[in-house]
Amino acid sequence: MTITHSVLVAGIGNIFLGDDGFGPEVLRRVPPDVAAAGVRLCDYGIRGLHLAYDLLEGWDLLVLVDALPCRVRPGTLRVFEADPMDTTPGLDAHAMDPAAVFATVRALGGAVPPTVVIGCEVGSVAEGIGLSDAVAAAVPAAVEAIRSAVADHRTPVRRT
């Protein structure tokens, strides 16, 4: 029997498209204590295939940090569980779609772990570096949401 705590926290987004850089910016601000044993933080940017291959390593939990289409108001933070069997694109506001990543993992013979999405509704994804004020204001809450997701998962998973 082994006890595992393997959590992959993935920041995704394009830093050259304004608020779409939310995921990478949040990952940049995560304090080192969150990345304790069994937790890997990685800024994937727009490298969806790289994320898919890394998911083949067999993680117990995936935390995706990403920009979301604006439905309420820019800067609105949403935390929800993604359905890894959903093949409907649209979890994010850019070309690197998590549904496509999940489909790639399955096509390569892997399984997608339970997935928590920490997303922020965008104000602008126009060309330019830097987050809008509303989205930048959501970064600290997103860091705390990562801390919470990791802490919730730290209850040991026993495998026989």
Side-chain angles (χ1 to χ4, degrees):
M1 170 175 55
T2 59
I3 298 175
T4 61
H5 299 286
S6 59
V7 179
L8 177 59
V9 181
I12 54 179
N14 187 336
I15 64 167
F16 298 110
L17 294 178
D19 289 341
D20 194 52
F22 177 75
E25 180 61 22
V26 170
L27 266 279
R28 198 173 69 77
R29 304 262 187 103
V30 175
D33 68 299
V34 174
V39 178
R40 178 174 169 210
L41 303 173
C42 188
D43 172 6
Y44 286 93
I46 57 172
R47 299 181 328 259
L49 191 56
H50 182 184
L51 174 58
Y53 276 106
D54 282 355
L55 287 172
L56 294 175
E57 295 175 21
W59 299 90
D60 292 326
L61 177 69
L62 170 63
V63 179
L64 287 178
V65 186
D66 197 4
L68 299 173
C70 191
R71 294 201 173 110
V72 178
R73 73 182 185 301
T76 299
L77 191 69
R78 294 194 295 138
V79 179
F80 58 94
E81 288 187 36
D83 178 1
M85 297 309 290
D86 184 9
T87 56
T88 306
L91 287 178
D92 61 358
H94 54 84
M96 204 280 275
D97 186 338
V101 171
F102 296 164
T104 301
V105 171
R106 288 191 303 277
L108 293 169
V112 178
T115 302
V116 173
V117 176
I118 298 170
C120 184
E121 296 185 13
V122 299
S124 173
V125 291
E127 287 185 16
I129 296 175
L131 303 177
S132 66
D133 290 343
V135 172
V139 169
V143 169
E144 287 309 307
I146 291 170
R147 184 184 301 278
S148 178
V150 168
D152 289 349
H153 183 73
R154 290 247 162 112
T155 302
V157 175
R158 298 188 185 277
R159 293 191 176 169
T160 55

